[in-house]
Every structure is written in structure tokens, then in C-alpha cells.
Amino acid sequence: MGIGRIAIVGTGHAGVQAAASLRQDGFEGELFLIGEETDLPYHKPPLSKTFLKDDVPELQLLRPEDFYTRNRVELLSGRCVSAIDPAGKRLAFADGAALAYDRLILATGARPRLPAVPGTDLDGVLALRNRADGLALRAALPAAGDIVVVGGGFIGMELASTFAALGRSVTVLEAAPRILGRAVSPLISDHLAERAAASGIRILTGTGLAAIEGEARRVRRVTTGDRQSLPAQLVVIGIGVEPNVELAAAAGLACANGISVDGAFRTSAPDIYAVGDVASYEHWLAGRVLRLESVQNATDQARSVAAHLLGRPAPFRAVPWFWSDQGDARLQMVGLAFDPDQDVVRGDPQSGAFSVFRYRGDRLLSIETVNRPSDYMLGRKLLATGIAPPIAMVRDAGADLRSLLEGEPKTSARAVVSS
Amino acid sequence: MTTIVFIQPDGTRREVDAKAGESGMQAAVRAGVDGIVGECGGACMCATCHVQVSEADDARIGPREAIEEEMLESVLDDVSPESRLSCQIRLRPDLEGLVLKVVEVV
């Protein structure tokens, strides 16, 4: 039995890739792609960088304008789904319309979390998730000489670098002892903190946010947890995201830090699937339930759910990879480092280009690289094949790690993404 | 406007009108050229826009930046001296007629 109609809620990287993969894999039925934003779907990563820096803020579209009509993807932009009826297999829209589906893919993403302090509603307090946020940041920048970034995670450090490059005085508040603490090894964290400091960014670690204060509804200052008062004409919040589970939860779908899905991205409700930032699943590489927030995770899951829906299930074995551009530091990471017990450095951190190979026992968990893309690319292959280089070899700058892959079948970067 | 040509592994040719300042990858994605994915949006992070060019075109494009060089070194396709990452090829009017060969996925 063919599927008559598939509806996808969410027009981010996951939703759009799911639509594209369904068509590429031969789905012939009706395909609806529904999103609240009115823009054509676009790449999110540039929002914290070029979108803020370029003279004209141009969106980089995920697919060309005519992609949707050419592929018979009914793109419903600017539309808000207000409820799911899993028993009746129908979506209700905020404007009163309804849409029946045979299969539903939820790719509703996540939204910035706001700190529970006074003043987050002041003008000039912003977070970054979409184009509208990016435009608001651009509009605020001319009058913002002093900027406080709350949160030293990826988005916070990327934005801080962008603001510093634009000549602003930037302070990053990080409640934890170090920036990017949950995401990278201490070595990489320290290195990126040093680079940021060298570019003029002030980083206050172990320092939370107590209050944001303003005058005439506009932000003026930030008070830190340790009672420092920092002037700020712009405050950007980057303390993490919360998954957009409300639709799913209201429909009775099991949710726990995201919408819970199985290895085939099935939710607890029949014929409803979830992928991307919002999906919580047991990761094959980490061996635990988690939610990943990345382009790679979104698109790889989308390809996989398309295959499952079209009766070509394959176990999800994508190796997570991630990047972050912070000033002239290109951080590239591959794998997932849960409970590492040894970090092995390759290259010289002082040179500005080095890698950290993270191990648990003799198992390679992840590779983090700064300005050393070849280690990162190699790591994608090593982790996909389960080959762990001996630690002594990693330490030996003269050892050619690529020799470990000799005899392995060649797989191009595109082979994993072309279906 | 610069017209460039993509050639698929099976020999199929496709002419694409590229906008000034656009990258080869962007032009390909906009036109829906098979085999050019551009997963990372052109940040030179994913190597899914690998193409091959002739020696003459390689010279016209200009030298690879270190970052492109390093990514190519480890690209897991069949990399040859003619390999480029098309997201790093900035299209200019003098690149009219540039031929980019899409590399077969292995």
C-alpha cells in the first residue's frame, strides 16, 4: 500500500531535507511542508556570522525557489499548526484550517531558553534563532557599543566573535567554570577562550546573570551574580535551547527532553515521526538517550526517516559532526565524547592548529580540531569504521593516521549524504 | 552573469547561469545539479561539493586557500590534482565557460 499524504511540520534543515529525500527516494504521494516563517527555508548557521557582518543581510536558501514546485512539495509558509489529532490523523491550524495526513513528521526544532531573571523583556535583549532575530540584532548593533553575551556556548562565542570583529566591546558571561564546557575538551575550551580574549572579548566565567536593567523600556546594564554592573546597550542570550515539544505533548506523545523516538524515528503515536533538534533518541554511538542540536543530525535523521517511511529501513548509523567558526578559529568536531578518560593532543596548540583525540580506554570517542581539517575528515572515517588509532600514533606528529584506513572501502563524503 | 558547465559522471552536461559573487556550489544547488550537496552551506566543512577541473580552469580559478587544500587532502572521494571544493570557487565574469566535473560517489 502506498502512502497517500505525508505532512512535515517544520521548515528548518530537518523538515526540508525530509521533503527532499522523500521525493528523491521516489515518494509519489502528496507532500506538505508546513512552517511558521514566511521566508523560503534557509541555512541557519550563517545567522550568527555573515548575516550580521555583510552589508546586505542575505539569506542562503536551503533549496532554490523552484525546488518546491518542481518536486511537488506544497510549502505552507507562515502557517501555525495548533494541534495534532493522532487518532483522526489530522492537523489543525491556528487559522481554523485542517489537514489530514497518512504520515506525519515533526521537525519543530527548538527555541532559545531565556534566563529566569528580571529584565529579559526589555528592548535590546535578544536571542538568535531565525531571520527575524538576526534582523533585530542587526538593527540593534549601530547603537550598541557595549554588548553582553549571556552564555559561553557555541552561539554565544560565535556571536561574541562577530561583535568583536565589528568593533564592539563584548563581555561574555558564563556561569560554568569554562566556556563551551559541556561541548568540548578543556584543552579546546581554554584555547578558544585565549583566542577570544586576544581578539578583545572579555570572558567572565563562573559568573551568572542576576538582572538585566533598563530605562524607558530599553536595556542599559547587566548585573552579574557576583554583583558586577556592566553597561550594555545590547544583551544577547545564548544559554541553550528548549525543544519545541508543545504540539506533540498536547497530543499525548511521549516526551522527555524532546519528543521521544525509537531507532526508526517513530514517536509513541502511530504514523507520527520526529527528527532534528526536537527528537530525543538512543544514540547508537553514545549508547544513551540524547538530543543533538546540529545541521548534520537534522539532515541525516531526515534522510533516514524518509527511507523508513518508504519501506527501506536501515539502522541509523550517522557519525555526528559539528562545526563552529569563532573569529579565525575553525572548530570542527566529530563523534560524541561521553565519559572520556584520556585526551590526546596532536599538533601544537601554540601554533593555533591542533586536535584533541578523546578516548575512553582504547576506544576513540571523538576528535576536536582547531584549524586542522584533515584530522577532522579523517576522524569522520575512523569513527564510521570503528577504527581507533593507537594513542602513541596520535601523539607522533610524523605518523600518518591515514594509513590506518588502507584496505577500507572508500566512501566519499557525499556517499553518506546522497540518498 | 557567468555561465558555467557541470558535467555528471555519465557525461550529461548542464549549463548554469551563475550570479556574480556566488560560489560554484551555490550556483549548483540553486539549479539543482545532482551530486553537489553543499551540506554545510559553503563553510568548507563537509566536502560534499567536490568537483574536478581541467588544469587550465584550475589556473583560471586561482590557488586553493589552505583550508580548501587541507579538506581536499582528506576528502574520501578519489581526489586528484584537479580536485576543488566548489563552495570555495567564487564565480567572476572571467570564469565564463568554467567546466566543473561532478565526481562519482564511491
Side-chain angles (χ1 to χ4, degrees):
Chain A
M1 273 297 285
I3 301 168
R5 178 187 290 172
I6 299 176
I8 302 168
V9 180
T11 52
H13 292 262
V16 172
Q17 183 63 54
S21 292
L22 283 165
R23 283 295 185 231
Q24 216 169 352
D25 293 354
F27 176 59
E28 295 285 352
E30 291 179 290
L31 191 45
F32 285 83
L33 181 58
I34 308 157
E36 293 185 18
E37 289 184 72
T38 51
D39 301 291
L40 284 171
Y42 54 89
H43 282 271
K44 296 274 175 67
L47 288 177
S48 58
K49 301 146 211 147
T50 47
F51 189 79
L52 298 178
K53 280 186 192 165
D54 289 353
D55 292 338
V56 180
E58 270 193 72
L59 291 176
Q60 202 178 323
L61 300 182
L62 284 171
R63 292 291 186 286
E65 198 167 348
D66 65 354
F67 165 87
Y68 303 94
T69 45
R70 262 195 298 122
N71 288 283
R72 293 180 297 115
V73 176
E74 194 72 47
L75 179 62
L76 305 182
S77 301
R79 298 287 296 279
C80 174
V81 176
S82 56
I84 305 166
D85 170 7
K89 292 185 142 187
R90 285 169 79 80
L91 297 177
F93 291 84
D95 58 16
L99 182 74
Y101 64 79
D102 297 305
R103 302 284 186 281
L104 173 64
I105 300 174
L106 297 174
T108 48
R111 61 175 177 276
R113 203 154 52 77
L114 293 181
V117 302
T120 54
D121 57 342
L122 290 168
D123 287 343
V125 180
L126 298 168
L128 178 60
R129 188 70 190 176
N130 55 31
R131 172 177 182 260
D133 298 331
L135 289 176
L137 276 175
R138 282 184 68 101
L141 275 168
D146 305 296
I147 302 175
V148 172
V149 175
V150 182
F154 289 117
I155 193 86
M157 293 311 296
E158 288 175 9
L159 284 169
S161 302
T162 298
F163 297 149
L166 292 170
R168 302 306 191 279
S169 160
V170 187
T171 305
V172 176
L173 292 189
E174 171 54 54
R178 57 189 179 105
I179 59 162
L180 300 165
R182 281 175 306 150
V184 302
S185 63
L187 279 158
I188 296 278
S189 164
D190 291 346
H191 180 81
L192 293 175
E194 276 169 32
R195 288 179 95 115
S199 71
I201 298 167
R202 185 174 166 214
I203 299 174
L204 303 179
T205 53
T207 312
L209 174 70
I212 304 171
E213 291 146 35
E215 284 162 27
R217 304 268 335 117
R218 274 213 72 80
V219 65
R220 287 285 173 264
R221 323 193 61 76
V222 160
T223 304
T224 66
D226 55 3
R227 295 291 144 199
Q228 297 182 63
S229 182
L230 309 171
Q233 295 83 48
L234 173 62
V235 174
V236 186
I237 308 292
I239 58 168
V241 296
E242 44 194 312
N244 293 323
V245 297
E246 287 74 7
L247 260 185
L253 277 60
C255 295
N257 177 33
I259 304 172
S260 301
V261 296
D262 67 8
F265 304 102
R266 287 180 294 222
T267 68
S268 62
D271 298 327
I272 305 182
Y273 299 72
V275 289
D277 284 12
V278 79
S280 167
Y281 65 117
E282 183 170 337
H283 199 282
W284 71 278
L285 202 54
R288 65 183 71 195
V289 175
L290 50 78
R291 206 167 54 68
L292 292 179
E293 297 151 9
S294 74
V295 170
Q296 171 276 325
N297 181 63
T299 51
D300 278 336
Q301 289 194 342
R303 292 182 186 99
S304 182
V305 81
H308 278 282
L309 279 171
L310 299 180
R312 288 192 284 278
F316 185 65
R317 288 289 178 270
V319 176
W321 54 268
F322 187 81
W323 81 91
S324 174
D325 274 315
Q326 299 172 26
D328 57 3
R330 286 165 60 88
L331 172 68
Q332 294 171 294
M333 316 185 344
V334 57
L336 292 171
F338 283 102
D339 307 322
D341 56 24
Q342 192 172 2
D343 289 345
V344 183
V345 180
R346 187 166 170 83
D348 177 11
Q350 293 304 319
S351 72
F354 70 107
S355 305
V356 176
F357 287 56
R358 312 199 78 183
Y359 285 83
R360 182 167 63 235
D362 55 8
R363 183 182 161 195
L364 179 67
L365 301 176
S366 71
I367 300 176
E368 303 165 349
T369 71
V370 175
N371 297 347
R372 242 178 108 102
S374 52
D375 282 350
Y376 153 78
M377 290 297 286
L378 178 80
R380 287 175 59 170
K381 181 75 180 183
L382 289 172
L383 285 157
T385 50
I387 295 172
I391 286 168
M393 203 173 167
V394 174
R395 285 215 180 93
D396 177 1
D400 183 5
L401 298 182
R402 279 177 297 184
S403 65
L404 294 168
L405 292 170
E406 271 165 24
E408 289 293 321
K410 278 190 175 172
T411 315
S412 75
R414 281 178 300 131
V416 284
V417 300
S418 58
S419 62
Chain B
M1 200 81 95
T2 310
T3 304
I4 60 171
V5 184
F6 289 91
I7 299 183
Q8 294 293 333
D10 68 359
T12 318
R13 289 170 65 91
R14 171 87 182 273
E15 289 194 2
V16 173
D17 288 327
K19 298 181 197 163
E22 196 171 44
S23 73
M25 180 278 288
Q26 283 170 322
V29 169
R30 203 165 40 73
V33 173
D34 284 343
I36 304 292
V37 180
E39 180 97 325
C40 73
C44 201
M45 294 286 179
C46 68
T48 60
C49 64
H50 181 196
V51 293
Q52 289 175 337
V53 297
S54 70
E55 208 173 309
D57 275 348
D58 191 50
R60 276 209 288 167
I61 295 166
R64 295 156 183 76
E65 301 250 348
I67 210 76
E68 182 187 353
E69 194 86 58
E70 265 216 63
M71 284 293 281
L72 278 169
E73 266 176 32
S74 312
V75 167
L76 305 157
D77 290 311
D78 279 321
V79 179
S80 64
E82 297 83 35
S83 288
R84 307 283 312 218
L85 292 177
S86 57
C87 74
Q88 301 301 303
I89 302 174
R90 200 54 59 189
L91 297 168
R92 313 172 303 256
D94 61 299
L95 291 178
E96 177 70 27
L98 185 71
V99 176
L100 303 178
K101 281 164 62 191
V102 177
V103 182
E104 192 159 16
V105 172
V106 290

